[in-house]
Amino acid sequence: MFDETVARAVLVAMALLVSAPAQALSMNDPLTEWTKGTAMDRMQIASRLGESFNSISESFTAGYFLKCIDDVAAYGNAKAAKIEDAMRECVAARMPRSPDAE
């Protein structure tokens, strides 16, 4: 059930970002582009992610996604990853683990 909610939120986030007016950054851009992007472009993506995921948890705010994606982008080996990959890492970091998970 919870996984379905997360999956729906990811789809909504992706739909919002794909249907957004032309912007300098997209979810398909590598994290190197995130670090080069303007503060306004990064905030636009973070805000849309916050709006999409806030129904899962109030802790999913624009500020959370902005800082989290910045942190993921700072990892030396994450440069080849896409902004979308960082978003998934950020969501996974806040999701409770089930007792059966290994």
Side-chain angles (χ1 to χ4, degrees), residues 11-69:
L11 290 174
V12 168
M14 296 303 291
L16 283 172
L17 292 169
V18 168
S19 65
Q23 59 191 32
L25 291 174
S26 78
M27 295 295 283
N28 291 322
D29 286 335
L31 285 174
T32 53
E33 291 301 313
W34 174 268
T35 58
K36 295 177 194 174
T38 66
M40 184 66 136
D41 290 336
R42 291 190 313 266
M43 188 55 156
Q44 186 176 31
I45 286 180
S47 294
R48 289 198 172 131
L49 291 172
E51 290 172 12
S52 297
F53 286 94
N54 194 263
S55 63
I56 294 172
S57 171
E58 291 180 4
S59 68
F60 287 127
T61 63
Y64 168 72
F65 281 106
L66 189 62
K67 180 172 181 350
C68 185
I69 295 172

